[in-house]
Amino acid sequence: MLPQLFPEGINRFPPAILALADGTIFRGVSIGAPGHTVAEVVFNTAMTGYQEILTDPSYSGQIVTLTYPHIGNTGVNAEDVEANRVYAAGLVVRDCPARVSNFRSTQSLPEYLSEQGIVAISGIDTRKLTRILREKGAQGACIFVGTDAERAVELARGFPGMTGQDLAKVVSIKASTDWTQGTWDLEEGYTSPEQSKFHVVAYDYGVKSNILRLLADRGCRITLVPAQTSAEEVFKLDPDGVFLSNGPGDPEPCDYAIDATRAFLDKKLPVFGICLGHQIMGLAVGGKTVKMKTGHHGANHPVQDLQSKRVFITSQNHGFAVDAASLPANTRVTHVSLFDGTLQGFELTDRPAFCFQGHPEASPGPHDILELFDKFISLMSGQK
């Protein structure tokens, strides 16, 4: 525990423990809801956007460790969210400042976490934790509000792992709905762009709202459908294109999504996939996915476009990857990670379909690779 981080004294915060499945114990203080949470613990290297990270449904089933030391400085507000609630299973930070300073802030991070029922811990050495995760890989963990370290380790070791977990259908909406909201503007708030050029059916596997906003900005009328919606139901909607969203968990059990995507590709309908959607497309064309040691989580990951040789700084959040060597002959690898060489994007050579592993829509940033949304628009224009 790092008591020097709390100038007003640590007694105002209940004690808390972070226990890893390997038996490692960290002691700190609770800055969220009481109780405990058990999930896979991962680290995220972004310096900004903690509110967007917490509300990203792709973090369902995961405790997020933020490597940037000061988290909570700017509080939270009602607009900087990617979904209607917090989806991360828990939060680990080094220092949550007592003072909040931002003109848009409506409450502090601890208040928000408590209101949302999210267990969180502050005051631990996140550098040491990150080194452990880098060396040993992501693993089960427990944030336990209290002092029972033995119980916390027992709970951490009971986590079954992410492999085989189909979480897309868990976090997805339950009924189809229309999306009309555009991106945020300082003067106007969320905009209401015209939507008349293209009809896009977007699958909600755990979609981030800013993805939908950017599609709306480009003149797309969006029908958001549940993860288990069949291809036949989508064909009845007569879309110009299909979008496969990001989402949590293991892509392999999502047979409903894989089958639907295969049907769209067979019909040569324009398809664009992001993150889990990228992995779903990889499986739909006959590729394989693998569980990564630590995954990619952050807003500073370099990705290269193999055709132009340009390097983009991207936002990432995934624990599974498509094995490039398993892809069929009618695919072309378009992007690779410069961190570890893993596949970041591919397209089909005989169909209007492509996908990207990172988050090109990244809110609050970076925005380097927004051109992929324009590529999707071009594919739909070519089909009209």
Side-chain angles (χ1 to χ4, degrees), residues 29 43 45 64 71 73 96 227 232 346 357:
V29 294
F43 63 87
T45 55
V64 181
I71 300 298
N73 315 51
C96 184
E232 290 71 23
F346 71 88
Q357 178 61 81

Side-chain angles (χ1 to χ4, degrees), residues 128-140:
K128 178 180 178 181
L129 172 59
T130 300
R131 287 197 297 270
I132 291 172
L133 297 179
R134 283 179 62 86
E135 293 170 5
K136 298 184 178 181
Q139 58 181 289

Side-chain angles (χ1 to χ4, degrees), residues 179 181-183 209-220 222 360-362 370 373:
W179 182 276
Q181 188 181 77
T183 51
S209 296
N210 214 52
I211 291 174
L212 303 176
R213 294 175 189 132
L214 287 167
L215 288 172
D217 282 353
R218 287 159 173 76
C220 295
I222 303 164
E361 89 297 335
L370 284 178
F373 287 88

